[in-house]
Every structure is written in structure tokens, then in C-alpha cells.
Amino acid sequence: MIRSILYLDEQKLYSLSSQVFEGLTEYLLTEKNEESENSTTQKGPVASGRILADAIKLSNTSVERRVLHDHAFSLFENKLEESEEITNISESDGQNFNQGSLKSFVRVSAPASFIDAADLNNLFGMFNKIGEAIAYVTNTNVIKEANEALELARISTKDKHKILAFSKQLKDISDPAVLAKKAGLHQDPKLLENLSLITKFAFADQLELQQRVGDLLYTSLLKREYLREAESLIIRKYSRQTEKSLVILGLVTQTAFFSKPSVDPIPEPATMKEAVTNLVNHIATMETSLSGKNDNEIVIDPIAVYVSL
């Protein structure tokens, strides 16, 4: 099977492969021969024709072991498949699993949605400005006609009241903020500020991939440094809501079949440790309400994301 790999967590792959294969045995040996020659040339006295040259030849050979990342992943995935340690989940069969049948490794194949918290925060910060820009650009012809009408009114009449009325009308027509509000492209700045604050607290700058199969939602949390290309380029190529199925191989970290027991706060903390425990419980409750796992959600720690060709 040929894979177009979009994401590969090399550190996690190395760690798991070393356990599966009892050491990383697949590597490429490359030899580097570096040879340099340094020479110093000095002219002697005039007309002597004497040249002094010192040549130093340095040779350095190094052997470098390079793991073939894609090949190593292919071996690792095939090994897991041979040992039947993967639960395969695909859009075509729409399987729903109980806790007993879901293995530690899952491979989900389905269209995905990119959820980028950093993009959301940028959008909240620029929403009104973007709305005003869109409204202005899409109403360029109307604004131009209004300007021409105002100029004509100024020429044809000397009535200051009419000119002021035309000027006010032009301002209403050409003001980007007014146009954006009429088009529904303007939101309360305070609302946007608070949405941004909540998003930063709950999701920081996380990048998620979400896939829906049957009644379950599979969420994979990606590390940006392991993307093969910039996220903006990948999204541009495959769309924020992909048409093609993406395959995600990873470890299950949270399941839809487990509900966290509620933790009652300590009524009157007697020690500093109890007070800190109470604070942690409150933070956990807040995080659960804002960004906690849904009842139908399975969270995956991804090793690789790829398109199967």
C-alpha cells in the first residue's frame, strides 16, 4: 500500500518500534568522505620566482545511521496488523464499538475536519475588520455611484441642506462598519473578546482532526512540528473539511464508554495540600465544561496521518 504521509510523530514511532522490533534495525548507512586541501602560497623576493606552498590534506569519514521514517512506519503498521493489535474503523462499515472490543491501537479511515484553535483566535480578533473589508469590496459599485451622485448634487444645487443630506446618505452607504452590520458581518467587540479568551483558556493553540463514523466522534490531537507541510498548505490542498478520507493510526487515550466520576470538593480544607486539591478539582470541572470529551467522543494520540493511494 502506498501512503501519502501528512503527519508522522517520529519520536513516538521510534519509541514504539524499538519495543516491537527489539531495537531499530532498519536503517540506511551513508558514508561521507570529506576532503579538503589548504594551501598557503607566498611569493618570495622580487624576481626570485620562488613559491612556498604548504598543502594539508584532511580526510574525514563518518558513518551516519538514518532511519527511513516512512519505511519504518510501514514496517511498524504492518507488524501491528499481523499481530492483530489494531482496531480498524472506517466510514464504509460505520462500526460502533463497545469498550471490550476497542484495542489500544486504532486506525480510523474517514473524511476529517481540521479544528485549529489558533485560527479561531485570529478570526475572533479580526472578525469585524474582515467583515468591514468584505462589505466595502462587495459594495464598491454602489459607493462609486453614490459619490458620483453627490458630486452631481453639489454642482446642480447650492442648497446647503440638500448637500448635507446627500453627504449623510453617502456616509451611510460607504461606511464599512455600517455596511458590515447590515450584511451581518459585524459582532459585538466585547463578545468577540470574551470568545477569544475562552478559546485560549480551553484550547490554547491546539490543532485537532475530527472524524465521524457512525454515532462516534474520533478526535486526534496533532503536534504542529510533526506535520510534513504547514497546516495552512495542507488545509488548502485537502480543504478544512476534507473530501478524501484521511487515515489516522494512533493510541486510544479516552473512550466514549468511560465517564469521569464527579469529585466533591473538600468542605473546609485543613491543609494547603487540600486547598490545592480543591483548586485542581475546580479547574478540571471548568475544563470539562468548556473543552471536555463528549459522551460519544473517542480521543486518539496519533502516530501518523496519511492518505491511502
Side-chain angles (χ1 to χ4, degrees):
M1 178 175 64
I2 302 175
R3 306 166 181 83
S4 176
I5 297 179
L6 308 180
Y7 173 95
L8 184 62
D9 188 335
E10 297 162 10
Q11 298 301 320
K12 195 174 277 88
L13 174 63
Y14 298 160
S15 175
L16 295 170
S17 293
S18 65
Q19 298 172 63
V20 171
F21 295 110
E22 298 181 356
L24 293 173
T25 57
E26 298 297 325
Y27 56 84
L28 177 68
L29 288 177
T30 62
E31 290 190 359
K32 285 184 176 180
N33 292 313
E34 296 178 356
E35 197 172 85
S36 65
E37 183 174 299
N38 296 333
S39 65
T40 303
T41 303
Q42 178 183 346
K43 291 185 178 180
V46 177
S48 70
R50 185 180 63 179
I51 297 177
L52 300 177
D54 292 327
I56 302 174
K57 202 172 188 180
L58 303 175
S59 180
N60 179 36
T61 302
S62 63
V63 178
E64 194 174 11
R65 301 174 69 164
R66 292 184 178 176
V67 176
L68 299 176
H69 300 154
D70 293 4
H71 182 55
F73 171 69
S74 179
L75 292 174
F76 175 72
E77 186 178 28
N78 291 339
K79 182 69 173 179
L80 291 180
E81 198 163 11
E82 288 172 7
S83 57
E84 298 182 348
E85 294 183 32
I86 300 178
T87 298
N88 287 303
I89 302 160
S90 66
E91 188 185 30
S92 58
D93 54 34
Q95 295 180 60
N96 291 320
F97 299 92
N98 57 45
Q99 189 169 3
S101 63
L102 194 64
K103 299 176 181 177
S104 295
F105 291 96
V106 294
R107 182 167 51 197
V108 185
S109 178
S113 295
F114 288 90
I115 311 296
D116 191 337
D119 276 354
L120 283 174
N121 278 319
N122 287 336
L123 177 61
F124 291 143
M126 300 175 63
F127 185 89
N128 286 340
K129 288 185 178 180
I130 293 173
E132 289 174 12
I134 292 172
Y136 190 88
V137 169
T138 55
N139 287 278
T140 301
N141 291 334
V142 175
I143 295 170
K144 182 180 178 182
E145 291 173 2
N147 275 313
E148 291 173 351
L150 177 61
E151 188 62 27
L152 183 61
R154 283 175 176 168
I155 296 172
S156 61
T157 182
K158 294 185 178 181
D159 188 334
K160 292 183 179 179
H161 295 290
K162 287 186 178 180
I163 293 175
L164 286 173
F166 277 124
S167 297
K168 184 179 182 304
Q169 186 178 4
L170 174 62
K171 184 179 179 181
D172 291 340
I173 292 173
S174 61
D175 187 346
V178 174
L179 292 172
K181 288 178 180 178
K182 288 181 179 179
L185 297 173
H186 185 278
Q187 294 293 333
D188 177 11
K190 200 67 178 176
L191 171 63
L192 294 173
E193 181 184 341
N194 286 313
L195 284 173
S196 179
L197 181 62
I198 291 171
T199 303
K200 286 178 182 177
F201 172 78
F203 301 101
D205 63 346
Q206 291 177 11
L207 177 62
E208 298 182 1
L209 269 185
Q210 292 187 349
Q211 296 165 290
R212 289 189 179 274
V213 181
D215 297 329
L216 296 178
L217 174 67
Y218 298 88
T219 299
S220 300
L221 306 176
L222 306 181
K223 299 176 185 175
R224 296 176 194 270
E225 61 267 29
Y226 291 127
L227 291 169
R228 288 290 175 87
E229 297 176 309
E231 57 267 31
S232 58
L233 184 57
I234 292 176
I235 290 171
R236 180 65 178 165
K237 287 181 177 180
Y238 291 93
S239 178
R240 195 169 293 276
Q241 296 178 318
T242 68
E243 176 183 338
K244 299 181 72 70
S245 289
L246 300 186
V247 182
I248 295 179
L249 176 67
L251 296 158
V252 175
T253 58
Q254 298 182 61
T255 72
F257 317 102
F258 175 78
S259 298
K260 291 183 180 179
S262 58
V263 179
D264 295 328
I266 301 169
E268 292 184 5
T271 65
M272 183 63 183
K273 185 175 182 179
E274 290 181 344
V276 170
T277 301
N278 259 356
L279 181 60
V280 171
N281 290 339
H282 286 308
I283 293 174
T285 300
M286 188 181 299
E287 288 176 337
T288 299
S289 65
L290 294 175
S291 60
K293 180 180 68 66
N294 296 333
D295 292 338
N296 67 329
E297 185 177 10
I298 292 177
V299 180
I300 298 172
D301 182 8
I303 301 168
V305 180
Y306 62 87
V307 177
S308 182
L309 304 177

